[in-house]
Amino acid sequence: MLAAEAGAAASAGWFLENAWLFPAVPFVSFLLILFFGRKMPKQGAEIGITALAIVFAGALIAGAQWISHVNAAESAHGTEETHSTDETHGTEEEGHSTEPGTTEDGTHSEEGTSTEESHDEGALAVSGGGRSVVLGPSLALPMAEEGGEAHASVPPVISEWKSDWWTVGGIDFQVGTFVDGQAVMMLFVVGLISLLVHIYSTDYVHGDIRYTHFFAFLSLFTASMLLLVLANNLVMFITAWELVGVCSFALIGHWWEEQNNSNAALKAFLTNRVGDMGLLIGMITLFFTAGQGRTFNIYEINVAAASGTVSDTALTVAALCLLAAVMSKSGQFFLHTWLPDAMAGPTPVSALIHAATMVVAGVYMIARMYPVFFEGMSIAGGSINAVALIGAITTMVGGSLAFVQRDIKKVLAYSTVSQLGYMVMALGVGAWTAAMFHLMTHAFFKACLFLGSGSVSHACNHSFDMKTDMGGLRKYMPKTHATFLVGTLALAGFPLMSGFWSKDEILAGTGGFGLSEGANGRYSLMLVMGLITGGMTAAYMTRCYWLTFMGEWRGANSPNAHHGAHAAAHDDHDAHAPAGHDAHDAHDAHGGLPHESGPRITTPLLILAVLAFVAMFANIPGQFGFVPEGWRLRFEHYIEPKGEYFPAISHAEFSPVIAILSLIAAAVASGLAVAYYRKVEAQDPMGTELVDGPTSKAGLPKVAYNVLANKFYLDWLYTDVIVGFVKGPLARAANWFNQNVLDGIVNGTATVSKRIAGFTYTVLDQQVVDGVVRGSGIGASETGGLLRRMQNGRVQGYAALMFAAAAVLAGVFVLAI
Amino acid sequence: MVAQNIFFGIIAAAMVVSAIKVVTTKNVVHAALYLVIVLAGVAAQFILVGAEFTGVTQVLVYIGAVIVLFLFGIMLTRARIGHEMDVDNERRWIAGLTALLLFAVMTYALLDAFDDTDIEANGALAPQATQAVSDSIFRDYLIPFEAVSFLLLAALIGAIVVARRE
Amino acid sequence: MWLNQFLILGALLFCIGVYGVLARRNGVMVLMSIELILNAVNINLVAFGAFHATPAGQVFALFVIAVAAAEVGVGLALVLLIYRNRSSIDLESVDLLKG
């Protein structure tokens, strides 16, 4: 039934129609690395890099093809004047550095190798221009010519396996790819960041015992993520969803010899299972309720949901279930606890999986199934809903927790939680485009920050502790410093950085207090929380930056510093592995001072820093009259789906008031942070906190610090309270109940019964009464025994409880319904 | 249908009595032998509703293989042949209550739903051709079939790994 | 014949099996009780298959038989392992879950 779309898209472009190749290439690379990696001269890394280069080149071409597809669809609808599809005036080296929807033509990236060359060129051109990341004036944004607010329907490119792939009991399961603007954007983001992470890793995990294994899983991860992006039905989607979970598990536990790492991996895996139940149930709900008949097809479900033929209740239930999956995968409040722990993995993994790609899978899922959420949550015209609220709470929780971390990666991890909250909040208030735009810009600058933190730790005793091992690094690591600064500015929402624009779009999209025109509702609470988080983000990133790069280097006095004996005193994440031995030797040669990392580490950093800046041009607000029309809102124009499978959302306009407010919040917050650390420096050049700082004083600040340092006591709640309650007090309570209440009843019953028996001995048959007495005694003691023995570790007891509970529950259902 | 009902009654009574014996007898070997009666009864019931192929498979797999496996298990664990005093744990009353509760709920639900629905309401009982079953397995349910094959392989390997002496 | 006579027979066997699983101390006997449960399910499947005049009921019964065979194999292997480690298959002594 989708033949029409497929047929209409016949000329959409080879890469869009054969998108299955995108996951297939890294998957083949995974198998090759697994089986032949060890025998290769570079132990398999070259296979992974080649595969990713091919994927990235393909993504660029697919982007170009998607642009011409959109243009063709629009001209076909006659809503646009004819246009000269002049997309080729981008300069070669910058052409690839913005997002794919707007920039790439196929002409200069015919194959992977040439793209890679052009990549390097770009990097060299930028680094050659000094360490500054501000690009030269020659930065020309290559654009398709046509702007305008055409709302012609753009059919997605859906390719399906022609014959039935798999039929069970009369239900067809299909495989296929579903390519539209957001999928193409994700292809670009995942391909690019994965490629950069591969290159970075060749240096970072150099010499690791499981080097080959590491690259194999990076490839598998990329393949799974691309499959998730392209899946056209929910069965494929959940398969890929689980696969990325497995890869994440394997990569977090990469150094599983250490108990902490393997615990973190397990925690990530198990926390995700909680949400996966939601995904499964939501998927089944949609299977039975949405679409014509029973279908897993995402396109059909979306069309059905958007057309309003599906019952609201079903959509709400499905949306809530899917939201549970988002909460676990995308680290939303109260299932976010795994994400910071996942920093136990190697830093490139943190950058790739836990900042840029995997954790946005949940966000992507909301975006992909947007009609379900839009209708199910009644986003249009509302002022609060579950998605927006969860996002808003998450963004504040993550932002506040980032303040108290000593570990630079944990700061970034909580910041990721916070930014993911932003994206979910944006989706919750109907700002779809803003969420996707933020997803892309965040991927760039967060990957840049993470890789930067890895580079820093590489130089600083392989520790991530900002207070003991860092400080003053701007003198030693100029490239890392510059790129980290760009990332920080982008994240903090400094104007003229991509992060500012995407964040501002989200805030405008809330439509809070009616400050922005054209929003989907009046989500005032979300606007306030977003603004507060904006301020917090600026402050904690200033803290992070200051502790790392300003002041004096504290690492020489650190307990981690003296690693003359290599094996000794490695209490941090990365150092215990053989990974760093070469680097250790280098350190010793340098007399222990930090030093800039090698080119394979700094080049990806530079590329990402440039992107963190350049990406802002992708979606210039439509009100900016001084920008040529064809340059505005390119992202919205090409990425946002247009058609019956997407709800009619309205777009908030740029609001100067909100922009200024968020600017003020960020400026004040970072100003306060700078003032604080200046004072610290004045008191003690080597210090990291004021001696009499707020947190060392008693009272409210101290309480707040404790709450934050204990992560809002969530872990404690999960492990100690819930598990502990079930294990300890409940059993004790049962025992107490048995000892005091039941035994009392037993004794009382027996005594009373015996007396009655004594009195009525002549009236009633002694045997009967005795029987009753004994019976009640035995019955009571058996009941008491049940309660006492509930926690005896005998599985059959638990099984009895389970069966009895199931029977009671079934009885309730049978009688009630 | 009187004859079928009579046979059903006889077989069902034998099955229930044997099943109760399986879970109450103190002799492990006797339990296994009573289990044979229940399994054979199940096969007979299958044939009664026309599911011949499944009935034959039941005999082959259960009585032919599973029971033998059980007897081997009993031998290898050297459970005492003959009476054992405490084959039941002290929670058997709870277990009995649970089972009764479950049975009450299920019976109520069944009577509620299918009060006196005739099993032939959708067409007369007829021996279902083995061909129809095989067509169904190898066409509609091919993937589950492959999955089951894979499961059996995994179970085979798993059983060997678990039970192997180091 | 009524549909219900098969279904209630299945329910009865199921509950007897549940009792066995919960009350038996001997690992092998617990496994036998599980067989009772699985057979009860099979009776239901086949009865419903006959009722709806579809081979699907039999197909699933066959799948259950296959899975049950796998289950017995692995289950007995586990019992054997317990016996080897503890010289007893008394499930009362297996209480590592004790809190």
Side-chain angles (χ1 to χ4, degrees), chain A residues 573-724:
Chain A
H573 300 302
D574 282 17
H576 59 82
H581 278 200
D582 291 352
H584 281 285
D585 297 338
H587 281 235
D588 297 343
H590 283 227
L593 278 180
H595 58 94
E596 183 60 282
S597 307
R600 278 176 299 174
I601 285 184
T602 51
T603 309
L605 285 178
L606 286 168
I607 295 171
L608 285 168
V610 170
L611 283 171
F613 171 69
V614 169
M616 72 179 246
F617 293 105
N619 208 20
I620 296 171
Q623 288 75 31
F624 283 14
F626 54 89
V627 182
E629 170 135 14
W631 285 33
R632 292 182 230 148
L633 294 174
R634 291 298 85 191
F635 193 86
E636 181 180 316
H637 185 72
Y638 287 111
I639 304 300
E640 188 174 297
K642 298 181 195 69
E644 53 177 348
Y645 71 107
F646 195 73
I649 60 173
S650 65
H651 301 91
E653 294 182 354
F654 177 77
S655 156
V657 181
I658 291 178
I660 289 169
L661 277 178
S662 80
L663 198 55
I664 290 173
V668 167
S670 55
L672 283 176
V674 168
Y676 176 75
Y677 283 106
R678 279 205 177 285
K679 208 170 149 195
V680 171
E681 208 174 37
Q683 279 192 358
D684 171 16
M686 298 294 280
T688 58
E689 300 285 345
L690 281 184
V691 182
D692 54 350
T695 59
S696 52
K697 287 178 189 156
L700 200 59
K702 182 78 181 166
V703 173
Y705 177 83
N706 280 338
V707 168
L708 291 179
N710 287 298
K711 303 179 240 177
F712 286 109
Y713 296 100
L714 275 179
D715 274 338
W716 174 78
L717 175 73
Y718 294 157
T719 56
D720 289 5
V721 177
I722 296 180
V723 177

Side-chain angles (χ1 to χ4, degrees), chain B residues 126-150:
Chain B
Q128 288 170 349
T130 307
Q131 192 185 353
V133 177
S134 74
D135 280 353
S136 193
I137 289 183
F138 293 108
R139 189 173 293 144
D140 293 349
Y141 298 100
L142 185 59
I143 302 280
F145 175 78
E146 295 295 340
V148 166
S149 334
F150 195 75

Side-chain angles (χ1 to χ4, degrees), chain A residues 792-794 796 799-800 803, chain C residues 18 21-22 24 30 92 95 98:
Chain A
N792 58 5
R794 312 248 164 86
Q796 282 167 311
F803 272 110
Chain C
V18 166
V21 168
L22 299 182
R24 297 303 234 177
V30 168
E92 296 291 292
D95 57 356
K98 192 164 184 167

